[in-house]
Structure formats: C-alpha cells, structure tokens
Amino acid sequence: MEMGSGVNMDLQEDSGRLGSLPVTTSRNMSSSSSAFFSANQSPFFSPRSSTCQFSESTRSDAQCDSINLSADPPSSSSGIRGPESLENARFDLSDMSLKATACISSDFQKSDHVVSNGSLPSFGHVGDNGYYDLIAKHRKHMRSHDMSFSPVPISLSSNRHKSYDIYIGLHGRKPSLLRFANWLRAELEAQGMSCFLSDRARFRSSRKHVLIEKAMDVSSFGVVILTRKSFKNPYTIEELRFFSSKKILVPIYFDLNPGDCLVRDIVEKRGELWEKHGGELWFLYGGLEKEWKEAVNGLFRVDEWKLEAADGNWRECILRAVTLLAMRLGRRSVVERMMKWREKVDKEEFPFPRNEKFIGRKKELSELEFILFGDISGESERDYFELKARSKRKNLTVGWSKGSSVEERLGRRQWESGSRKGKEPVIWKESEKEIEMQSTERQHYQKPKGGWNSRRKKSAKIVYGKGIACVTGESGIGKTELLLEFAYRYHQRYKMVLWIGGESRYIRQNYLNLRSLLEVDIRVENCVDKSKTKSFEEQEEVAISRVRKELMRNIPFLVVIDNLESEKDWWDHKLIMDLLPRFGGETHILISTRLPHVMNLEPLKISYLSAAEAMSLMQVSAKDYPIAEIDALRIIEEKVGRLTLGLAIVGAILSELPINPIKLLDTINRMPLRDISWSGREAHSLRKNTFLLQLFEVCFWIFDHADRPRSLATRMVLVSSWFAPASIPVSLLALAARKITEKHKRTCFWRKLLCSLTCGFSSSYSKRSEAEASSMLLRFNIARSSSKEGYVHFNELIKIYARKRGATGFAHAMVQAVVSRGSLSLHLEHIWAACFLLFGFANDPIVVELKVSELLYLVKEVILPLAIRTFITFSRCSAALELLQLCTNALEVADQAFVTPVEKWLDKSLCWRPIQTNAQLNPSLWQELALSRATVLETRAKLMLRGGQFDLGDDLIRKAIFIRTSICGEDHPDTVSARETLSKLTRLLGNVQTHT
C-alpha cells in the first residue's frame, strides 16, 4: 500500500506542476487494475499530432484513463531531454480504450515514419532498379535520425492503479521491435490484462525512473523483450535481475534464441552474432561484472518460458505468451477464447491453399514489403541485395514518359534535389481524393512546356511506410497469386489476414462479413441509438465504422482486397476508401486491380514472368525436351500473351496427357473458334487473345472426350459464369450443371483427333461423378481449390468466356440450383447473384423469368429471409429495401397478368362463354400471390419504421391491410397484426409532425 500511495503522491505532484488534468473514464481492462497513463516524449510530435486514436472494446468492463505526453523538440544536439524540459512537457488527454494504455511506442514508431519518409517524394516514381536505391537511402536516413534523436516512450500508472498484471520492458528503436511490443501489449490488454510498457533508457528524469520502478514492483509478471543490444543496457540487466529474483521473469528472445545468450560466448565474442555486439558489456555503462553475469545466467533458470520471436513466428509467439500469462493469472476464459479463435482462423483466414509451385516475383514481393513496412528483412533482404547487385541500365529514369527529353528530366531532377536541401515543410495528405506526400513548394511549381508525363496524374505516388500497397496488371497475369504468396509469407507479422473480394457489387458485403472474424456486432438493434431514430444511411455508416474502428487498433491486420473493380461502391457510389481504416496505422491494406490508378496511389505494375520462369511453369513434369520442343513452348508462351493463367493450363495439359509441345501447338491452332460478339471493358483481354480462347476450347474437348458429349466438367465451367465471383460449392455447381439439357453434336473429325490425342485417357476418366469432374477441373488448372472443403474457384477470364459461350439456359439452371439448395449462411453471395439475374437491379436486364408458383416459393423462402438478414445482421439497409422494392414490382407484374383477360381456342368456339382471367381460372393461386405481396409490403413498412421514414411506411402498410382485409377478413391475425403496425406508424408520424 505504501508503494501504491507513493505512486499516487508522485503523480499528483506532477499533475499539480503541469496543471489540472481532467479525467476521462472508459471500460476497465481487468479486475486488478483501474487506470493508467500512456505517455510519449518524442521530439517529432507537435501537441496536435501526439494524441493517440483509440477504439472502444467490449471485451472488458473496468475503467481506464489515458494521458498522452508529448514534448517540443530538444534544443541540445544529443537529443536527450533533461529534467527541466520534462517539467515543461505538455500533456494531452485522449479517449481511453482497451488498447490505449500504452500507445507511446506506436506513436513514436509512426513519428519515425513521418520523419524518415520526409525525403521520399524526391525519388518520384520508383520502380525497377530505382526502387532498390530508395531502400538504401531510406535506411541511411533512418540511421541518421537514430543518432540525433532519443525519444522517451513510457507507460505511466495513474493515481488509481495499485497493481499491474504485466510489466513489459524493452530497449531499442528498431521499427520491427516497436511493432512487436505494441502488438504484444495490445493483445494482452484485449484479453483483459493490464500492462505497463517502458523503455527506461529513454529517460533522464529521476522522478520518472522512480515511478517505473514502483510499477515494476507492483506487477504480477515481468516480460523483458531481449535483443542483441539489450545486454549492454543497464536497465534491461536490472529488470532481468529484479524479476528473476521474484521468479516472475518472462523473457522473450527477439531475433535471438536462448542458446545464443551464453555468458562466455558474449564476453569472448564467439560467433557471428557477438563478434560485433559482444564483449565485456558491463564496462559500457559502468556496471559490475558479477551483477551482469548473474542477470544473463538467470535466463537459464526460467525453464517454462521459452518464447522466441523470430521474423516468421511473431503471431505464434504473441499468442503463446498471452495464453501462458493468462493461465498463470488464472484467466481460464481467456485461454478458451484464444483456442476457439485459433481454430476459426485456421479454417477461415486464407481463401485458397498456398501455391507450392509459386515461381518468381522476388522483386515484387520485396518491394511490397518495403512499401508496407518501410523496411525489408529476412529472406526478402537477401533477395534485395541479390537483385541490387545486378547491373543497371545507365541513364534510366523510372516513371517518365517516352517523350520526355533529357533536358526536362535533368531539370526536374535538379529541381527535386534542390527543393529537398532546405528545411521545407512536408505535408501528408489523406482524404477522399488525395493520399500522397508532397511538399508545399512543389504544389506551385510550374513544369516545363511539353510536360513530364501527361498520362500520369501529378498526385500519384508510391507511398512507402504508410501501410497501403496497390498491385495492378491485366487479367490472368498473376495478381491474386502474388497477393496470396505475400499473405502466406508474412502472415506471422499480422494477427490475421482478412481477404475481401473487390468486385463492386459485393465488396461492401464482403467487408461487413469480417464481423465474425473480428468479433464485432454490427446488427441494427445494436447500432441504433434508442433516444434518436437514425436514417438508413447513418445506420450503415455506424456498422462500417465499427468494423473500421476494430482495424484501427494497435493490433496489426492485413486486409487484402483482391480484384478491385472500381474506386466507388456499386450500390451508392461512395468511395471504397470510406470502408478502409486510416492509413499509417498497424493495419496494412493490399489491393490488386486492373485499374491504372486507385485513390491517387501509384500502383505497382506487375510484369510478365521471365522466359526461364515461364518455361519452368510449363514444364511441370520436368521432362527433357529437345530444342524443337523448347521452341514450340516459346511460341505457345508468346501466343497466350505470356499470361500466367495460360502458361499454367499448358503445363497441366503436358503433364496430364501423353502429348508433346509441338503436337499441342498444332492442336490449339487447328481448334475452331466460336462466333462470339465481344463487348465491354472486361472482354478486351479475350478479344485480342484468340489463342487463349482456343486453349480453353481444347480443355473443353478433352473433358467431353473423357466423359461424354457435354460432359459434367464442361457444363460446370459454363454454368459457373453466372455464379458470384466467390468460391462455389461443388455440390451446388454440379446440381446446376445437371439441370442443363441442351444437346450437343460432335463432328467426326474432332472425335478422331481427340481420340488420337487422349489415347488411354478415356479409361481413367470415364463416367465422371461430381467429385471426379471437379478433380479434373483442378488438375487442368481451369479451376483452383478453395480453403473451404468442397469449394472451387474460377478465374475471371474463364468465367467471362464461359458466359459468352453459353446460353441463358445456364443462368436459369444456376438460379434453380441456388433457390432450391442455397443457404443464407453459406451461400450469401450466390443468392445475391441469383437475385441480380431475377430482378434486374439498376439498369440491368432481367435474365431469368420465373413462373408464378416459382416466384411465390422464391419470395417466401429466399427473398424475405435474405432482405431481413441483410438489413438486421449486416445493417445494409439500402440494399435490403431495394431488393424488396424490386420484389414488389415483380409481384405486381405477375398480379397484373392474372387479372388480364385471357382467350383460349375453346372459348372462341363456344361463343356463349364469357372471357375469363387467370384469377378466375386459378383463384387459390391468385389469392396466394396477393397475400405474398401483402407480406412484402408489411415487411417494407416495418423496415421503414426503423429508419424513421414513417410516411412511406404508413402508405405501404395501408396497402397491405387492404389486401388482407379483402381476402382474409378484418379479424384474421395477420390483418390485426398489420393494423397494430399501422397504429404505431400513425403515432410516430404524428409525433414528428408535432415537433416540426
């Protein structure tokens, strides 16, 4: 108690000297703690920029305070602040959250990026060899700042804290170390464990050291993050001795392993590791040899804690640390929650299994790492040095148009270098239209006549270290494969990889689907403020903001948006950027697209594979071909447009069939093309690449010959084009394929040709079942397997060609399969795809028309559940209401057809019979149709009630009451229920009119 009161007295005294500090309270982290400070003394922060941004969490229920400390830049050259400057430091309040207890390391790391990146715009558009020069300059610039500044991150206890669960000590300014420490602290706090994070070497104030020592003494466990430089830091040695003596030491070896930390090896500089960082390190800070050796030897007495944080196991290390600490603290619920979360991530994190045959792209992978992290390490660092050592082309300036003259390029380069020499202010711009870093002088600079690059936007830049990267390239070149490989290679640096399909009609739904992985509740009843009725737009914004806020915490996520079709959402034309968290945080954004520019970012353009890599992709079976066959492979490579998709299919055919490259080339050339009219931007790649289409046709003929004319595999490909762009369940795909009864005739010539091609193939691939057909598609690379068992995915180019090749009968088969077997929880995207075909959203034509009986089943079993789930569970109010509106229109059209008189040949022959309507001929069906329309109208009225549109709801419910009264009567329960809804709407509408 005395120590706790000492902390309180010191903090109150500090508060008295620095002025009164208002207190903001929020939810508590654990039962053993109530509040603590978050302080950061960094010379890079202005008072405005130092405030941490926090998010509210629902996982704990205690109260916490957060006070953020920032200071003016130091006046001394050493960059170390003295007690006087600390006394004059300024405190800023920020809102407290589950993650806000010690935000200083995160803020300091961000400030490093702001300063070190200040010189980046002078390099212009970076690519090829210029990119590697930029890495070296960036590192040199960061080292220069490391020598001249010494910020002081610390997390201080508030006057209500009596104890902490975890003390975290570290030493160093390496960005990866700070990122790891931030993540560890944030994860512990997310599980309800209070933390105190500090790098004591950054302080010169004795008062602050006293506070930290008191925090160490009242902590249940002491986590010390050890690096190769930690053993020359007196404070780390002291922490090791202190926590080891209390038997609560938890060492985490960062880029080390326990076997490296031997006293004799360190002192004698044994091995490559200690040759530079070893020696009699206690002399560096004037310590005692005995105490130093006692601290290092104490590490080997910690048997149960063997936590190693290498470059490829951050996630595993942090999750294991959290689990072990929770077990020692008696938090069984935390352990169970972590186990469930791990099981969910193992099943749902990645959309596709890793491509074990991934080839090339070393430069692109290392460049993506540099763009996202601002630095490279591990294998990418070795690749970087290997690629940089290659000879460069002289006089190469990346990012200039071909028409630019040497004088213009030289003048611009001189201007850029000159503009960076002075103390020119650098401004980060981040808005809906601008995400770039540019200087104030450059905005007013007039470029020479003739222009540097008229096609390229002036504001487009590759932004380094801001956590966002964009990859562009034509369809089939391998963008998804690159992003998938990057995600698998670096997934341990993130808590989770969140994969989102970027198609404009589905991107918002895909984004809101993250709620289950992030454990965020975005349901309407939890987003609506009961004291005020929010509009539909406001409710949608609240749901999106909850997901976005979860991504803006100090826990790192990797959000991958694959195949972004447009910068604007298809539904309301809002910018996709509104969905994403603010760039520069711990969460990183990785985008693939065919667009030339995205959000004014300069994308990383994906080039073709090299000749050797392409040859390796086609020679999967590793056969030794003669020179003539190699030449045939090179011709095939050029004819398929060097697309990775085409090369992979060729390699699969050569490995699966007894055919050589020359014969395959001849077969593809002789394959006739179907007469297809191409239109639209997405068809451009196929219209100019007829050889690729012939290759697709060869695959279809192989499937047909292996099974029968119009084989199940071929029909599965053709019908897949009408499904949503997500992975498709094989059972649903095969069901739709079996509903196609179109006949197909085979010419005798092609029968003989394919018999000679696939000799011996028929016996092993005869009578394909559903599983066998999907297996064939996977083996020939027409489809790819999904991480979900029993699902397959088709490339965009294949689906475009299949849709053009097939008829609308395939669309009808798809709708029938989805309506009869679809599940809202499993096949949500495909159900929406069926609705697009049925109702003609926006200006789309209606592709599939249903009979009245089929429409009634659809409304009852699909449309109403889909609309309610979309509205309530995902807060997608506008989409749900538009679906119901179109459904109402379809029912009204069907009803109008029922009341229209019909003539039959029998009626004409019997002139005394009056002309009847379908409603008279089938009254029960007509009544069911009318009641179905009343149900839809009532549902719409109830949803209007939730959005405050009482006048529209009143009109809709009156129509529903009229229909039900006419058919069912006044006293029917459905009519009574509708009248109650009308009474509520009338009352609320009257209240609104009274207030206005």
Side-chain angles (χ1 to χ4, degrees), residues 762-815:
S762 302
S763 59
S764 59
Y765 287 100
S766 60
K767 301 294 181 180
R768 298 296 160 193
S769 66
E770 174 182 304
E772 291 171 336
S774 62
S775 175
M776 184 186 297
L777 296 177
L778 295 175
R779 295 180 66 179
F780 282 90
N781 287 328
I782 293 297
R784 69 176 304 161
S785 59
S786 173
S787 295
K788 296 181 181 179
E789 187 176 358
Y791 283 68
V792 293
H793 186 272
F794 291 87
N795 184 275
E796 180 188 13
L797 286 178
I798 294 176
K799 295 184 73 171
I800 292 173
Y801 178 66
R803 176 172 292 201
K804 292 290 184 180
R805 186 181 188 269
T808 56
F810 292 92
H812 198 280
M814 174 267 183
V815 170

Side-chain angles (χ1 to χ4, degrees), residues 100-227:
T101 58
C103 65
I104 37 83
S105 294
S106 174
D107 283 343
F108 167 63
Q109 185 180 4
K110 295 171 187 175
S111 68
D112 266 353
H113 286 306
V114 172
V115 174
S116 60
N117 287 349
S119 59
L120 290 181
S122 63
F123 300 106
H125 306 288
V126 182
D128 298 334
N129 298 326
Y131 150 69
Y132 298 106
D133 295 335
L134 179 55
I135 295 180
K137 295 178 182 179
H138 179 70
R139 285 180 164 176
K140 184 177 180 181
H141 197 78
M142 292 181 68
R143 288 196 295 268
S144 67
H145 282 288
D146 288 343
M147 296 168 59
S148 59
F149 295 98
S150 180
V152 187
I154 182 178
S155 169
L156 297 177
S157 157
S158 84
N159 55 2
R160 288 183 296 175
H161 247 300
K162 297 180 180 180
S163 65
Y164 292 96
D165 293 324
I166 313 293
Y167 173 92
I168 303 175
L170 73 155
H171 172 62
R173 286 190 53 187
K174 191 175 181 181
S176 58
L177 173 64
L178 298 181
R179 182 177 174 88
F180 177 84
N182 281 330
W183 182 5
L184 174 62
R185 183 210 67 245
E187 193 65 54
L188 288 168
E189 291 166 3
Q191 305 304 328
M193 290 174 270
S194 57
C195 296
F196 187 103
L197 175 68
S198 172
D199 183 352
R200 300 165 64 200
R202 306 269 178 92
F203 275 99
R204 289 297 181 89
S205 170
S206 59
R207 177 181 302 279
K208 301 303 182 280
H209 280 288
V210 171
L211 297 179
I212 299 172
E213 290 170 1
K214 291 176 180 178
M216 291 170 57
D217 191 55
V218 297
S219 296
S220 301
F221 286 94
V223 175
V224 181
I225 303 176
L226 297 171
T227 66

